[in-house]
Amino acid sequence: MDFTNPLVYGVPFFLGMILLELTYSKTHDHKDLYNWRDLASSVGMGVGSAVIAPIVKTITVILLFSFVYDLFNPLVDGVRTNIMGYESFGYAWYVWILCMLCDDLSYYWFHRQNHMVRFFWAAHIVHHSSDNFNLGTAVRNGWFTIFYKPLFYVWIVAIGFPPEMLVVCLGIEAIWQFQLHTVFIPKLGFLDKFLNTHTMHQVHHACNLEYMDKNHGGILNVFDRIFGTWKPLDESIDITYGVTQPPDSYNIWVILTHEYADIWKDMKKSKNLRHKFMYVFGPPGWSHDGSTKTVKQIRREMAMEQRQAEKEHEKVLVSRA
């Protein structure tokens, strides 16, 4: 059965929504929402992704997803049968829902690992590199994530979901992710209990310490809640968007590659092979000499300092009693 990837219709939708938000921001009290040079860089990277992605996705579907699907779901007496012994999944409505749930779970771990493994972060930092949060930023996608992203999803076809079904689900996920990049949608009440919403994605794009590495979900926030990475927007906190070490450039190639260059510089700081490995595959911020720290290390140190301050405060109160 053949299906059309929703992103075929998504591209004109993306462009139309960017123009609408841009016009609204310039005619209302949000004139600083868009920076023209920043927008040009984002659109340039979006165009590059639009050129590269179809080629890679075609290869992915034909050579990887289709190969794995056929390998794990061979025809037995004319019926697709998984090697575990059950009939491979068809196209019933509830199978679509199950496939979307599997897709959402894969997206969560793909997205989370992009923040936890520096080599992946080097590709994903592109999306976070702008200090603007708008629909233009939504198309500011790194070109290199395209090459390893399918590996996080291949298990879905292995257990029996048709490759074309997964491709459609991936398209739906991408469209939902696009429209999250706006500040004009407030908290959504009941929907915030289970959906990954616009305010939650504002948290994800913030470089405030309390917000970093939170809300990795795709359409649902259930996996963030289960795995401890969910955090709602605190409207009393002024959000700072972007990354702690920005590329400080509007040059597309610099934006795409600056973190890889930083990895190479860090690897040369030590001759120890374990240190070199950790600079590539450890968490962002890791250093062998403590010159830079990971988000977890910083939070741990701040928590220890707070506990120490509380103890000192208690001692003062006791001495006065």
Side-chain angles (χ1 to χ4, degrees), residues 49 110 114 120-125 141-150 260:
S49 294
F110 159 72
N114 277 338
F120 293 158
W121 174 240
H124 185 60
I125 194 176
N141 294 315
W143 298 351
F144 306 121
T145 58
I146 300 170
F147 294 96
Y148 62 83
K149 182 178 180 179
Y260 294 106

Side-chain angles (χ1 to χ4, degrees), residues 3-4 9 13 23 44 53 56 60 62 71 74 95 104 123 138 162 172 185 187 213 235 240 247 271 277 313 316:
F3 297 100
T4 300
Y9 309 105
F13 169 74
T23 302
V56 176
T60 298
I62 294 176
L71 180 65
V95 176
D104 217 42
I172 294 171
I185 306 297
K187 290 185 176 181
D213 296 338
E235 294 171 337
T240 301
K271 295 181 179 181
F277 178 87
H313 182 64
V316 171

Side-chain angles (χ1 to χ4, degrees), residues 118 245 259-272 275-276 278-280 284-288 291-292:
R118 193 178 180 191
Q245 291 184 304
E259 182 66 12
Y260 294 106
D262 288 344
I263 290 175
W264 178 245
K265 291 177 184 176
D266 288 341
M267 288 177 66
K268 292 189 289 185
K269 291 179 180 179
S270 173
K271 295 181 179 181
N272 185 294
H275 293 166
K276 292 180 183 296
M278 287 297 293
Y279 277 122
V280 179
W286 181 91
S287 63
H288 74 284
S291 57
T292 58

Side-chain angles (χ1 to χ4, degrees), residues 3-54:
F3 297 100
T4 300
N5 189 331
L7 288 180
V8 172
Y9 309 105
V11 172
F13 169 74
F14 294 166
L15 295 175
M17 291 301 294
I18 291 172
L19 288 173
L20 180 63
E21 185 185 56
L22 175 61
T23 302
Y24 181 85
S25 68
K26 296 301 182 184
T27 55
H28 291 72
D29 193 24
H30 295 278
K31 291 182 174 60
D32 60 346
L33 184 65
Y34 277 86
N35 174 296
W36 290 110
R37 294 181 68 187
D38 182 79
L39 177 61
S41 297
S42 296
V43 171
M45 284 179 280
V47 170
S49 294
V51 172
I52 296 171

